[in-house]
Amino acid sequence: MYESNNKKVEKIVRIIQSHGCTVEGKKISLDDLQPLCHDLNDSDKKEIIEIIQSIDDELFHLYGDRQYLDSQIQSLEPVREKLSQLV
């Protein structure tokens, strides 16, 4: 769990991490982010920007991994078909 000295930022991160889940009996939704983001000050925003950049970096790496794996799977597809025909 992300820890911050800033409780507003921590709450925002909890919502992002728990999207679509139930936490403490309450359904968490990204819709809850909008009212929280209205109350951010400049120091809050700096921390949120760093979190967003971190998420973006991770998504970029995952996308690259996915493209690589997709190409590996596609190259194995004809082999799988041949093997299934032999069996």
Side-chain angles (χ1 to χ4, degrees):
M1 180 63 148
Y2 181 83
E3 291 183 25
S4 171
N5 292 332
N6 187 318
K7 295 303 172 195
K8 285 188 282 186
V9 171
E10 215 169 69
K11 188 171 184 178
I12 288 169
V13 172
R14 190 179 82 212
I15 289 171
I16 292 168
Q17 289 176 327
S18 306
H19 177 59
C21 300
T22 302
V23 175
E24 298 170 2
K26 180 180 182 279
K27 180 80 172 170
I28 300 297
S29 167
L30 290 178
D31 295 336
D32 297 334
L33 287 176
Q34 189 171 2
L36 286 172
C37 291
H38 284 293
D39 296 332
L40 295 176
N41 60 38
D42 287 342
S43 64
D44 301 334
K45 289 176 185 177
K46 183 177 184 287
E47 190 171 358
I48 293 294
I49 288 168
E50 290 171 2
I51 293 166
I52 291 169
Q53 184 61 53
S54 175
I55 291 169
D56 187 53
D57 292 346
E58 187 63 26
L59 287 173
F60 177 78
H61 292 295
L62 289 172
Y63 182 73
D65 291 348
R66 179 182 173 192
Q67 285 183 313
Y68 171 75
L69 291 172
D70 282 347
S71 70
Q72 295 295 97
I73 289 169
Q74 287 174 357
S75 67
L76 291 173
E77 192 65 33
V79 174
R80 185 189 65 79
E81 289 176 15
K82 283 279 190 193
L83 288 172
S84 65
Q85 289 173 358
L86 291 171
V87 176

